[in-house]
Amino acid sequence: MAQALDIDRWNLECEFNNTDHRTDLNGIDRLIVRRGQPFSISLYLRSGSYQPGVSSLDFVAETGPQPSEQYGTRASFGLSASIDTSCWSAAVTSPPGDMVALSICSAPDAPIGRYTLTLGHSARIEFILLFNPWCPGDAVYMDNKENLAEYVLAQDGIIFRGAYKHPIPTPWNFGQFESGILDVCLRILDMNPKYLKNPGKDCSGRRNPIYVSRVLSAMVNCNDDKGVLLGKWTGDYEGGVSPMLWRGSVEILRNWDTQACQPVRYGQCWVFAAVACSVSRALGIPCRLVTNYLSAHDTNSNLVIERYVNENGELVQSKEMIWNYHCWVENWMTRPDLKPDFNGWQAYDPTPQEKSEGVYCCGPTPVRAIKEGELTFKYDAPFVFAEVNADVITFMKKKDGSTSKVSSNALVGQKISTKSVGSDAREDITHLYKYPEGSAEEREAFKKADHQNKLLQQQQNQGLHLNIKVTSDMRKGCDFDVFAVVTNNTQSEKKCRLLFGSCALSYNGFMGGNCGFKDLLNVELSPGGERKVPLRLNYSKYGGQITEDNLIRLAALLLDYTTGDTTLAVRNVVLDNPEIKVRILGEPKENRKLAAEITLQNPLPERLENCCFSIEGANLTGGGIITERLGPVGPGEDAKVKIYFTPTHSGLRKLVVDFDSNKLCHVKGYRNVIIGK
């Protein structure tokens, strides 16, 4: 007859297990393991000893407030001769004696979250179970060591902002292993409305990364629930923090947690995406942040952006817009609900734009489905397809109320970008979302998406060509020229009117004040001729208009007097901020004090007041932010500070710096620091 083991005490071997399961950066004071991978526990017996074939031990693993075997949130199992990694199992790995070494393994599809494991009648242990991208049986399995280091373990990264002709890398501290962040991520799951309504069913859903990604898409914004961030895209950010000021996710997640799940103010797309990336990586789902330049926001689901200009060529604000850029995230997983071709990267978007199944969330939808025009697949494929592929039709609204079509070279979905694996370089992943413009495959994808081909509109107006050229040196604080270039590709003489204007722009397409305007009533062009028309942009005019995005929208409108045809060219330019220089003084060593000198030169023809440097870095600044205020900085003068910090954990880390003043808002800089043992 089997004899139950009489357990006195136990050791969860947290340091060994957490290191083996790659969760040791969360700390080694509690057990955090990944599913489908064995972990070890040492049992010390009060009496007797373990005898193979005689001793018995029953196990019950439970998660959630209503554990049940029906929902898969409760598992009962006994000792086996050896571990079976395809299900919950346990085996003894030590010889007979009063110390029993146990190996325990969870099922590779077990729900993630907090667990209680009962051993026999007396022992109860607690642990946290995460997704396991190192386990071939897990739906998030990723078979590439370098990719795993980047998309699961990297605590910092680069977000690409700026403009499509001038992508600007912005550093971000994801900080998914900083103290307390994993607990905040689990709390986000527990605050979601599906959990509050039916916790048993919701906890069961946590076996599935598709379900978890959809929950995160809804919970990172607060539009329908007690979500993390409140979005704001206009004006002042009173009562909160400007989205430009965040340098990482840690402060945002901690603020939400300590303020009783009140939404943190304020977020914009890259902030929503970065927080979602932190939470996905914390839970063990490989994740990367993606930027789509010239991103369409299609409100009526017809895959066409209809935009309007007035007779000066100025865009008339409408609900349908082309964002200068838009950020979302991709999670890596299999899609057993779809065909095998659609495994891999899945786009999901936590920025609240349109409702999906009655809730502000979007995705996950397979990136491959977007490329192939498969819009019937879950979730929200038409919306993401339009972001990267919508056609743009421009109309002129005249003073008498009539409208006429304007030919324009508007593009959507350009330079889709993410950080390269193992470096700060930009990786262009446009080819994963769409076939080359004008290719046969692109036509086929459009046909499948029941959508008109882009080529039809590109054949119009071959006669007069209009585009905008800019100089490479467009720095904030300087005066510079931009150019409208008109080319006559016809055999006849042309007389035209050219309107060339500029206005401040925010990254999501909202337009601000005028930065310069020119109206030429008589532009004459000989057959084959070209005319280059400059527009001077003076800091004295644009300096008070531009937002923290440093964006100016240029628009040239050409009216052909002979045919009555109108052509529009639009280009967004981003002004360069000054460089932040970071010099590390001394050799970076683990747990040894280190100094860094940080310098920025004032590029403006005026004095900077209220200057502040803020510095943050995973395992560098103790999970906090170092703030250094300094006095006024005159034109051309250097703002300079020296900071001290103590790195913990060896390896490559990013020191993220932000400079803020009354005239120069949120200049970002960073420096990679390699910490030795």
Side-chain angles (χ1 to χ4, degrees), residues 436-498:
E437 301 278 344
S439 66
E441 294 94 338
E442 187 217 22
R443 287 205 295 279
E444 189 55 41
F446 264 84
K447 219 157 136 193
K448 205 184 283 178
D450 189 28
H451 192 45
Q452 298 161 343
N453 195 302
K454 288 180 177 175
L455 293 178
L456 297 174
Q457 274 142 36
Q458 289 170 2
Q459 289 158 4
Q460 298 170 354
N461 200 33
Q462 297 298 317
L464 280 173
H465 187 69
L466 175 67
N467 70 348
I468 295 171
K469 291 219 156 98
V470 299
T471 56
S472 58
D473 197 24
M474 295 183 295
R475 294 195 314 274
K476 194 173 184 179
C478 294
D479 301 342
F480 56 90
D481 288 320
V482 292
F483 303 90
V485 182
V486 188
T487 314
N488 180 7
N489 295 327
T490 70
Q491 303 303 309
S492 54
E493 195 124 331
K494 288 284 185 186
K495 267 195 174 181
C496 313
R497 179 183 181 185
L498 176 70

Side-chain angles (χ1 to χ4, degrees), residues 226-300:
K226 286 187 173 289
V228 177
L229 276 160
L230 177 63
K232 191 172 189 194
W233 283 266
T234 51
D236 75 272
Y237 300 105
E238 207 176 314
V241 173
S242 158
M244 302 281 173
L245 195 53
W246 302 116
R247 290 158 302 280
S249 310
V250 176
E251 192 183 1
I252 294 168
L253 289 166
R254 283 182 180 159
N255 286 357
W256 176 81
D257 186 47
T258 55
Q259 291 162 16
C261 308
Q262 290 300 304
V264 177
R265 301 162 188 258
Y266 295 98
Q268 289 177 8
C269 72
W270 71 93
V271 185
F272 285 108
V275 169
C277 184
S278 296
V279 180
S280 291
R281 288 183 185 181
L283 298 176
I285 306 174
C287 184
R288 66 184 184 185
L289 196 145
V290 168
T291 302
N292 176 39
Y293 288 97
L294 302 179
S295 188
H297 182 164
D298 178 25
T299 56
N300 60 3

Side-chain angles (χ1 to χ4, degrees), residues 351-604:
T351 300
Q353 293 182 88
E354 299 292 322
K355 285 195 172 186
S356 169
E357 296 178 342
V359 176
Y360 278 102
C361 67
C362 178
T365 193
V367 171
R368 180 75 189 271
I370 302 307
K371 183 169 183 173
E372 300 299 341
E374 293 278 9
L375 303 195
T376 57
F377 290 170
K378 288 182 169 180
Y379 291 88
D380 310 303
F383 186 78
V384 182
F385 183 89
E387 287 182 305
V388 300
N389 271 317
D391 275 350
V392 183
I393 301 174
T394 308
F395 299 95
M396 182 188 283
K397 262 190 180 171
K398 297 181 180 165
K399 284 177 184 145
D400 61 7
S402 65
T403 60
S404 63
K405 204 167 173 183
V406 176
S407 67
S408 83
N409 57 353
L411 295 168
V412 157
Q414 297 296 304
K415 269 193 189 162
I416 304 174
S417 304
T418 191
K419 177 189 174 298
S420 291
V421 171
S423 91
D424 291 341
R426 186 183 72 86
E427 183 185 347
D428 194 306
I429 55 168
T430 311
H431 63 283
L432 299 180
Y433 278 86
K434 54 207 280 191
Y435 287 104
E437 301 278 344
S439 66
E441 294 94 338
E442 187 217 22
R443 287 205 295 279
E444 189 55 41
F446 264 84
K447 219 157 136 193
K448 205 184 283 178
D450 189 28
H451 192 45
Q452 298 161 343
N453 195 302
K454 288 180 177 175
L455 293 178
L456 297 174
Q457 274 142 36
Q458 289 170 2
Q459 289 158 4
Q460 298 170 354
N461 200 33
Q462 297 298 317
L464 280 173
H465 187 69
L466 175 67
N467 70 348
I468 295 171
K469 291 219 156 98
V470 299
T471 56
S472 58
D473 197 24
M474 295 183 295
R475 294 195 314 274
K476 194 173 184 179
C478 294
D479 301 342
F480 56 90
D481 288 320
V482 292
F483 303 90
V485 182
V486 188
T487 314
N488 180 7
N489 295 327
T490 70
Q491 303 303 309
S492 54
E493 195 124 331
K494 288 284 185 186
K495 267 195 174 181
C496 313
R497 179 183 181 185
L498 176 70
L499 297 109
F500 192 11
S502 61
C503 69
L505 182 73
S506 63
Y507 86 94
N508 63 330
F510 276 92
M511 285 158 300
N514 170 28
C515 297
F517 183 76
K518 182 177 271 189
D519 185 357
L520 299 181
L521 291 169
N522 289 301
V523 176
E524 296 187 2
L525 291 155
S526 55
E530 183 181 280
R531 178 90 183 267
K532 196 174 180 182
V533 178
L535 177 66
R536 188 78 171 159
L537 293 181
N538 296 306
Y539 175 72
S540 58
K541 179 114 193 225
Y542 73 72
Q545 300 291 348
I546 58 170
T547 68
E548 297 166 333
D549 295 310
N550 276 8
L551 283 165
I552 295 176
R553 178 186 178 273
L554 308 173
L557 189 72
L558 188 71
L559 174 65
D560 182 344
Y561 286 131
T562 47
T563 62
D565 288 343
T566 312
T567 307
L568 176 73
V570 175
R571 180 160 179 180
N572 299 338
V573 298
V574 59
L575 306 185
D576 284 330
N577 271 324
E579 183 192 357
I580 293 178
K581 292 177 178 161
V582 182
R583 200 159 66 94
I584 301 294
L585 310 174
E587 190 189 347
K589 287 260 178 153
E590 198 175 315
N591 298 318
R592 192 167 82 183
K593 200 172 183 183
L594 188 64
E597 186 182 80
I598 298 167
T599 316
L600 172 138
Q601 187 180 50
N602 176 11
L604 305 183

Side-chain angles (χ1 to χ4, degrees), residues 17-28 31-34 130 177:
N17 287 319
N18 290 11
T19 304
D20 191 45
H21 285 245
R22 300 172 181 86
T23 62
D24 51 307
L25 281 171
N26 287 301
I28 51 171
L31 185 59
I32 303 169
V33 293
R34 298 185 186 276
L130 302 178
F177 299 119

